[in-house]
Amino acid sequence: MDIEFHLLAISEKETHLKESKTSFSIIYEHFRKFLYNVIIKNIHYKSHKEEFAKTILNEVFCYVWNNPLAWEFNQKKHKSPDSGFKAYLSTIAYYKTLEYLRANESYLKNEMPKVDDVNNDWLFNLEANEYETLESELQKKNNVLDGILANLEPKKQDIVRVYFQLYEGGKKMRSENIKLMESMFNTTWDNIRQIISRVKKQIKEAAKKTTKIQ
């Protein structure tokens, strides 16, 4: 894609608006996914993360629309116009993100951890022994686990399944897996631990009942 050509076309929006919009759409579609991922990785707040990222994304492209000739390819710094323009957009995004978060600082300081409601499984108090290894028992308890999962809402079922897929017996959950689960389910690690704690207790209780019957 000839980025410089499209930026030049955007700069002529006062006389050739249709062509300018076409060039802007081409640039937007080509870079928006990349830029969205850059922005969302730099937003560490849990609530409204996607909303904030989309707002900042729009602000970056508004800047490009209003200042199309502010960038030019520098062969000494970048291998290609594509990589150079990505670096340029990332720099704008960085400062736009800081600016946006500062503007919302008072609101974000009062951010509360996400929970579904005041009476759900997330709020179950954790105990120190809740993170003992259950992996050695899970193969024998698949039917028990399936029965427990059937009584959970779909989101919580998925959380439990992913947790046991990522968990390594006898070890603490890796930090990258914690971040992955937080991102996948758009919630906090404390919330995830709460639901896992409740399910583990249910597994233990069901296993005890099965043993007594036998």
Side-chain angles (χ1 to χ4, degrees), residues 4 39 48 51 91 106 123 128 131 133 148 167 174 182 187 192 204:
E4 291 177 303
I39 294 169
H48 304 291
E51 177 188 338
T91 301
S106 59
L123 303 180
Y131 296 96
T133 304
I148 292 169
Y167 181 73
R174 293 182 181 182
E182 287 182 324
T187 189
I192 293 169
K204 289 179 182 179

Side-chain angles (χ1 to χ4, degrees), residues 24-53:
F24 180 79
S25 295
I26 291 171
I27 286 179
Y28 178 83
E29 289 301 324
H30 188 78
F31 291 103
R32 67 180 177 84
K33 289 183 180 179
F34 159 78
L35 191 56
Y36 177 82
N37 289 330
V38 168
I39 294 169
I40 205 162
K41 286 178 182 177
N42 288 312
I43 300 175
H44 303 295
Y45 295 96
K46 304 301 177 187
S47 66
H48 304 291
K49 188 170 185 173
E50 291 185 6
E51 177 188 338
F52 287 176

Side-chain angles (χ1 to χ4, degrees), residues 174-201:
R174 293 182 181 182
S175 60
E176 59 265 31
N177 289 338
I178 290 174
K179 291 178 182 178
L180 174 63
M181 289 193 70
E182 287 182 324
S183 176
M184 284 178 67
F185 298 108
N186 194 28
T187 189
T188 66
W189 181 239
D190 283 342
N191 287 345
I192 293 169
R193 291 172 68 222
Q194 300 289 3
I195 191 65
I196 299 301
S197 175
R198 171 57 70 88
V199 168
K200 285 185 176 183
K201 275 185 173 288

